[in-house]
Amino acid sequence: MITTLFFLAALMVGVPIGVCLCLSGAVYILSIGSPVLFQSFPMQMFGGVDSYGLIAIPLFILIGEIMNSGGITRRLVDLSMAFIGSVKGGLAYVNILANMLVSSIIGSATAQVAIMSQVMVPEMEKQGYDKTFAAGLTVYGGMLGPIIPPSVMFVVYSVLAQVAVGDMLIAGILPGVLLTLLFFIVIALMGFVYNYPRSEKRTLAQRARTVVQASPTLLIPIIIVGSILSGVANPTESAAVGALASALVGRYVTKEFRFSAMPAILLRSAIYSAIVLFLVAAAAVFSWLLIYGKVPQMVATWVQTVAHDPVTFLLLTNVILLVIGTVIDGIPGLIMTAPILLPIATEVYHIDPRHFGVVIVVNLVLGLMTPPVGLSFFVASAVTGAKPGKMFIVTLPFFIISCVALVMLSLFPSLSLGLLK
């Protein structure tokens, strides 16, 4: 109880989540009167990041930074426009499709929302869309970032769950496609109700020219995902090759990337990577103490009195994680909950850890779009000036369909594991 109260108090006054985890661990050790455990404290932190799979995180972050500097995002948006054509609500479809393509490179929801809001919202405003709707739609498009590979959250989960990173990245492909298709259905229905404008008409020659100009940018996701699926490279190696491909495409194809920008890009990538890896190290200590205090066993006992089968457990987990995700960012939320819920899912209910990983990640990502915090809405608001509360209300159908997708993923493991069989 002392540890819990200290953790909540530290969190409420704005102490970073990684520091909260470490300090809470120290408070727990002091409260049980076992200072000898402090000797294992640094060893547990080091052990948390002593994993080859975690090298993929800074490399994926580096790919996103290089892509932004190389103008590759703009090319992917143009490519999406060439494919969609002049249908009603065409630019709304383009927003989601472009986010899907960008997701295969960036892998971070908030970073993707910040980037795509700058690109898509002004363009949609020019064609007559409401700015609030355009910004909110971009937020839900950014939801695909941590789901479609590469995904930093899946890499972190794979280390926590001790499952293959490649399996987790592949498991995110079908859920990402499912969400994209469901978003398309919502856009189609809303397009008839609100009479969305049609996309600008382009001749067949203009579309062909756009495809030719933008197609080389697809080499990056093809190299990353293709090398993993084919078994040619593991996720860490594919991330390294993807970073090189991003630099070459940005320099010699789009011609907007400059090697002189690399020091600044490497610095930004290092800072963000250090934040993520410190969270992982702090989580290792927190998980170690949870196990020492037999917290998973106590939670498992309580859960079994409420949930009598795997489906009920997953639905209960969805509710718990959705509440947690409303106030805590994705990776910290994953780090705090996975060590407690994963053993229950696998040992008590015999749920595949890869399936459970998809459910828990999608749930926490959806939390980024859920009030009272809704971090992604605040990111979009900072870029576009639209109000977060209005964004949520205007795009409420997308939240509802996302919850439907989450239930589908919980009920049908094949939607996560289909490509792994």
Side-chain angles (χ1 to χ4, degrees):
M1 182 61 69
I2 294 172
T3 306
T4 303
L5 291 174
F6 176 85
F7 177 82
L8 294 174
L11 201 62
M12 290 177 64
V13 299
V15 177
I17 185 69
V19 178
C20 283
L21 292 172
C22 289
L23 291 178
S24 298
V27 169
Y28 175 74
I29 292 173
L30 291 173
S31 66
I32 62 175
S34 299
V36 69
L37 292 177
F38 279 119
Q39 296 177 9
S40 300
F41 206 97
M43 293 172 58
Q44 293 296 330
M45 290 194 72
F46 177 76
V49 293
D50 185 21
S51 171
Y52 176 74
L54 288 176
I55 300 175
I57 291 178
L59 290 172
F60 284 144
I61 293 170
L62 178 61
I63 290 172
E65 290 288 345
I66 294 174
M67 187 194 75
N68 298 340
S69 300
I72 296 171
T73 304
R74 180 73 256 178
R75 274 20 175 232
L76 291 173
V77 172
D78 290 340
L79 186 63
S80 302
M81 289 181 174
F83 282 128
I84 293 298
S86 57
V87 298
K88 179 177 288 189
L91 207 54
Y93 292 104
V94 168
N95 192 325
I96 298 298
L97 182 58
N99 267 291
M100 181 182 180
L101 295 174
V102 173
S103 295
S104 62
I105 302 173
I106 293 181
S108 167
T110 50
Q112 185 164 321
V113 169
I115 294 165
M116 296 302 291
S117 293
Q118 298 176 48
V119 176
M120 290 306 306
V121 175
E123 192 68 30
M124 292 182 73
E125 276 193 282
K126 287 179 185 176
Q127 293 200 18
Y129 290 86
D130 176 64
K131 180 171 72 173
T132 302
F133 170 77
L137 181 64
T138 306
V139 167
Y140 283 97
M143 182 180 176
L144 301 172
I147 300 171
I148 295 176
S151 165
V152 174
M153 286 186 70
F154 277 144
V155 174
V156 172
Y157 175 82
S158 67
V159 174
L160 294 173
Q162 296 297 299
V163 298
V165 176
D167 284 357
M168 285 310 307
L169 295 180
I170 294 171
I173 295 176
L174 291 180
V177 173
L178 172 66
L179 273 170
T180 302
L181 294 176
L182 291 175
F183 288 162
F184 279 176
I185 293 172
V186 173
I187 291 171
L189 295 175
M190 292 181 69
F192 284 107
V193 175
Y194 296 104
N195 195 27
Y196 290 152
R198 293 182 177 273
S199 300
E200 178 185 349
K201 289 187 177 181
R202 297 188 181 192
T203 65
L204 186 60
Q206 288 175 323
R207 293 188 187 183
R209 194 180 309 115
T210 300
V211 170
V212 170
Q213 292 174 348
S215 290
T217 60
L218 291 177
L219 285 173
I220 302 168
I222 289 173
I223 288 173
I224 295 172
V225 179
S227 60
I228 296 173
L229 290 174
S230 64
V232 173
N234 61 40
T236 303
E237 293 165 347
S238 68
V241 176
L244 177 61
S246 300
L248 294 177
V249 170
R251 181 69 185 91
Y252 299 108
V253 178
T254 66
K255 297 182 179 179
E256 294 183 28
F257 176 71
R258 297 289 180 269
F259 288 113
S260 58
M262 276 304 294
I265 289 174
L266 289 171
L267 178 61
R268 289 196 300 270
S269 301
I271 291 172
Y272 186 62
S273 300
I275 293 171
V276 174
L277 293 174
F278 176 70
L279 283 170
V280 175
V285 174
F286 197 70
S287 301
W288 165 58
L289 293 173
L290 285 175
I291 295 169
Y292 183 87
K294 298 182 179 180
V295 173
Q297 292 92 321
M298 290 187 288
V299 173
T301 302
W302 174 79
V303 168
Q304 288 180 76
T305 62
V306 180
H308 303 289
D309 56 79
V311 172
T312 308
F313 168 73
L314 284 173
L315 295 178
L316 177 64
T317 299
N318 285 335
V319 175
I320 294 171
L321 291 178
L322 195 59
V323 173
I324 292 173
T326 60
V327 293
I328 299 176
D329 198 359
I331 292 178
L334 177 65
I335 287 170
M336 289 174 57
T337 56
I340 298 174
L341 296 174
L342 180 62
I344 304 171
T346 55
E347 296 171 15
V348 178
Y349 296 98
H350 308 292
I351 298 170
D352 190 298
R354 299 167 298 181
H355 173 219
F356 187 69
V358 170
V359 172
I360 195 172
V361 167
V362 172
N363 206 312
L364 290 171
V365 171
L366 184 57
L368 295 172
M369 294 85 185
T370 308
V373 178
L375 180 61
S376 288
F377 284 120
F378 282 95
V379 172
S381 175
V383 175
T384 65
K387 293 184 178 180
K390 287 186 176 180
M391 273 190 270
F392 177 76
I393 294 171
V394 169
T395 56
L396 186 59
F398 292 93
F399 179 79
I400 295 171
I401 205 67
S402 298
C403 292
V404 171
L406 185 58
V407 173
M408 291 173 65
L409 291 170
S410 301
L411 297 177
F412 305 107
S414 58
L415 291 175
S416 304
L417 308 177
L419 296 179
L420 294 171
K421 295 179 180 179

